Amino acid sequence: MDPHVSDTGAVAPKVREDLSHKSISSNLAAPAKGRRLPPLSHLPAIPSPPPSPSPPHAAAASVAAMAFFARAIRHSSPYLRSRAPPPPAVAASCRWISPTAAAGSPEAGAAVAPADPETPPPREPVGGARVELPSNPEDALEVFVDGHAVRIPKGFTVLQACEVAGVDIPRFCYHSRLSIAGNCRMCLVEVEKSPKPVASCAMPALPGMKIKTNTPVAKKAREGVMEFLLMNHPLDCPICDQGGECDLQDQSMAFGADRGRFTEMKRSVVDKNLGPLVKTVMTRCIQCTRCVRFASEVAGVQDLGMLGRGSGEEIGTYVEKLMTSELSGNVIDICPVGALTSKPFAFKARNWELKGTETIDVTDAVGSNIRVDSRGPEVMRIVPRLNEDINEEWISDKTRFCYDGLKRQRLNDPMIRGTDGRFKAVTWRDALAVVAEVLQQVKPEEITGVAGKLSDAESMMALKDFVNKMGSDKVLCEGNGPSPPADLRSNYLMNTSIAGLEKADVFLLVGTQPRVEAAMVNARIRKTVRATQAKVAYIGPPTDFNYDHEHLGTGPQTLVEIAEGRHPFCSTLQSAKNPVIIAGAGLFDREDQDALFSTIETVAKKFNVVRPDWNGLNVLLLHAAQAAALDLGLVANPTESIKSTKFLYLMGADDVDLDKVPDDAFVVYQGHHGDKAVYRANVILPSSAFSEKEGTYENTEGCTQWTIPAVPTVGDARDDWKILRALSEVAGAQLPYDSLSGVRDRISMVAPNLVHVDEREPCTISSEVKPPVKQQVSSTPFKTVVENFYMTDAITRASKIMAQCSATLLKK
């Protein structure tokens, strides 16, 4: 429709003050010096306006007239057209006259003229970040970002100042947890009094600095950088796994040009073999060096580096070796392009097809925060989730790639072993009836319940209540040893907290190998060693650390020497401000564990490890279920309980020594994988895995977290606590709850800290109240607890990817 024709079909009037040549030329931009305007006779003829409308149509008339005049200038000669502002600007520069009585008054003109736009209010920091200013005002400074004053701590870069001001600066090489490289030049901004744009990631912010992020100079600089980056980048987006979550795609759309000028042959680079986890397409690499810096700074391996120079520059592994770090998968997340992607996830799905579920990892005791991406009933991948207090934004390779074990060797239906030794599928009613019948035939003291490594607090509470209601107190958890120190929470938790390890200046590791037992705790120790040159001493079997350490010995005798003040390392502990002792949970399985922990406490008292403002005495647990099991009181002696049992209830427990189980014992296996213990079971009850249920877990520092179901359960499986609740009813010992909230109410009566989600309750009772220990320390050296980092539980043992890693990287 013609813009000056109204909806009713009437022609709207176009009224102007004057159509003379003088009026037209006064509304146009002045010509450049030395150039003349073309004669106005070249302009197209402008038709005379139709009759004026009645006053109610004055506003419509003004709008139509503005559009008419803009169209007339647009169809004029090229010289005038290049200087004609767009229609909104024309509306602002020309004063249109309304055919009303008050049209000629100055007040009317002022009312029609648009007001100057107000300065936009300051924006929130990028990503909702919180900035803590130092208490001393002299340690903070003020800069101006796009006209807004921002206060930041000293030492912030220009890029960080812009983020505090709510301005997101494009970047490729910069990463907040890595050293500054400054080699992509995408973060260029304009700084007042600077002759050229500066790289904001590497420029320290100075007092009073005036930063401009959206000027033509900055835009042109970013556009040029983007054109250079795309010069050799292949047009792989349709077949690239990074598509849809690619920084290069996003920033090319936002800051790049609409065309390229490079017409020569693009270069190509040979792909590298980094192992079974990371897929490489090195032609896509933009040499940001994020992966190189991550490998050397965070992972602690010198596997990656830059080779060549100029257009022959490429990232490689020097001597064709594999990337052997337990954190190697994180290079997939930090790579801004599709050069490094997940090999198991290659060509499986696009990121917009996936449903993300925020949950936690249960393959170790750290409780790393993760996001499970699923499509339909299948888990497609696992990626990290930011949590500064636990895993920052990294996860271990075991956490990231064990997901294919969730769909292999799964138990789908209840099964009963027949007289021929073969299992046959039955209904839940029949399976529970068989178990209940056997329960009625055994003595109460012959009933034993064992919780597995991956059990949640709800299922362990239900198992304990059920076994207690049947008249037995023999309930235990895998990995907690014959007599776990469950009297005080400080005896089995990481009292310093994972994030608190960064304040330490001396570490003494006793019988623990954090690199394979808890990779994220090890990464935090390495971070502290690099940042503060903290000293690390280790007592245990020879092992491979990725930071400088001093190996003091292999057995408890070295620990006794330190406790008696006879070891040279005592001087280091004596001079430390915040010393930390980390004991491994593998000590729980030793016969002399009471004497060992007593000796460790003696060292802590002697060298001021525990004081009112600092608790550096820690225990590093191995499994996700350990802390909650000790809180709930699953502390029976496994050796004695299993030897005398006639009814053994294994709830996901696969590492129980089945050779000690009597031949005539009736074994019920409740779990989600057909692992080791299935071969001894008489009845199998299928349960849901951590990705299919809502459960409570407590990590090694005592922080309670929840898992969230991401995919539906497999087959006819049920949640663990629901199976126990149904069995208790059939067996005539009904549990007093029938909902998840009911189980958690029961937990709150036994261990209130387990219902305070995402909170860490510190231990308040001192270890000084413990009675003295008369046991003697054994001379038996400490042994390695985790033999194979990639296979530690039922899920990882069922994973094909973990089997490849074990075969390729560990040569086992």
Side-chain angles (χ1 to χ4, degrees), residues 362-373:
V362 299
T363 57
D364 57 24
V366 178
S368 300
N369 286 218
I370 58 174
R371 190 186 79 225
V372 175
D373 286 344

Side-chain angles (χ1 to χ4, degrees), residues 2-20:
D2 194 271
H4 59 270
V5 178
S6 67
D7 294 339
T8 59
V11 179
K14 298 174 286 295
V15 183
R16 285 193 307 153
E17 204 169 0
D18 188 8
L19 290 179
S20 65

Side-chain angles (χ1 to χ4, degrees), residues 616-771:
L617 184 56
N618 303 294
V619 175
L620 181 60
L621 299 178
L622 291 169
H623 314 308
Q626 272 184 293
L630 292 169
D631 276 355
L632 294 172
L634 279 72
V635 293
N637 188 317
T639 306
E640 297 176 1
S641 301
I642 292 176
K643 278 184 178 180
S644 61
T645 188
K646 296 296 182 185
F647 180 92
L648 182 60
Y649 198 100
L650 301 177
M651 188 177 68
D654 291 294
D655 293 319
V656 174
D657 189 356
L658 296 174
D659 294 334
K660 296 179 180 178
V661 179
D663 294 337
D664 59 343
F666 189 87
V667 179
V668 177
Y669 180 81
Q670 173 183 318
H672 39 75
H673 278 79
D675 208 57
K676 300 177 182 176
V678 168
Y679 301 104
R680 177 63 181 81
N682 298 95
V683 175
I684 295 175
L685 305 177
S687 64
S688 50
F690 79 97
S691 59
E692 302 157 4
K693 65 182 176 183
E694 187 175 345
T696 303
Y697 288 87
E698 183 182 7
N699 72 350
T700 187
E701 65 174 2
C703 179
T704 303
Q705 302 180 100
W706 279 352
T707 56
I708 306 296
V711 291
T713 54
V714 175
D716 210 13
R718 297 289 186 271
D719 288 358
D720 289 293
W721 73 266
K722 292 182 179 179
I723 298 172
L724 287 161
R725 166 64 178 79
L727 177 59
S728 70
E729 186 172 348
V730 177
Q734 183 173 333
L735 296 176
Y737 36 76
D738 53 9
S739 67
L740 191 63
S741 59
V743 184
R744 287 176 176 163
D745 288 342
R746 167 68 177 140
I747 290 175
S748 67
M749 298 168 60
V750 180
N753 58 288
L754 290 177
V755 296
H756 300 153
V757 184
D758 292 331
E759 293 182 16
R760 176 182 169 269
E761 291 198 12
C763 311
T764 55
I765 303 177
S766 170
S767 60
E768 295 178 358
V769 301
K770 292 175 61 178

Side-chain angles (χ1 to χ4, degrees), residues 254-327:
F255 305 104
D258 60 347
R259 68 202 67 198
R261 295 172 288 181
F262 186 73
T263 58
E264 308 299 322
M265 284 287 291
K266 292 177 182 278
R267 70 161 196 169
S268 60
V269 181
V270 177
D271 295 340
K272 310 297 187 293
N273 180 19
L274 298 185
L277 303 178
V278 182
K279 175 188 174 186
T280 62
V281 185
M282 300 311 292
T283 304
R284 301 173 186 157
C285 179
I286 60 172
Q287 287 81 44
C288 71
T289 68
R290 276 189 185 182
C291 56
V292 176
R293 285 174 284 145
F294 173 84
S296 61
E297 295 168 15
V298 179
V301 294
Q302 306 297 325
D303 289 346
L304 297 176
M306 186 73 80
L307 300 167
R309 57 187 299 178
S311 62
E313 194 175 51
E314 61 183 79
I315 287 175
T317 57
Y318 296 123
V319 289
E320 296 297 323
K321 63 174 291 191
L322 305 180
M323 193 170 179
T324 55
S325 170
E326 71 281 1
L327 303 177

Side-chain angles (χ1 to χ4, degrees), residues 375-449:
R375 184 175 62 186
E378 184 179 357
V379 174
M380 302 301 295
R381 67 175 178 181
I382 292 176
V383 293
R385 187 160 55 92
L386 178 67
N387 188 322
E388 295 287 356
D389 295 330
I390 298 177
N391 60 307
E392 297 182 297
E393 59 185 84
W394 319 121
I395 53 175
S396 70
D397 290 348
K398 180 167 60 174
T399 300
R400 184 186 297 268
F401 294 108
C402 72
Y403 59 86
D404 70 319
L406 292 168
K407 61 183 179 182
R408 297 177 187 275
Q409 298 182 4
R410 289 298 298 269
L411 301 174
N412 298 335
D413 303 298
M415 288 183 280
I416 297 176
R417 189 187 295 272
T419 54
D420 58 352
R422 294 179 175 273
F423 283 107
K424 64 175 182 177
V426 295
T427 64
W428 273 106
R429 184 182 298 274
D430 294 342
L432 295 179
V434 170
V435 176
E437 183 181 350
V438 175
L439 273 171
Q440 302 298 333
Q441 298 172 1
V442 297
K443 298 177 182 178
E445 62 272 13
E446 295 175 340
I447 299 173
T448 301

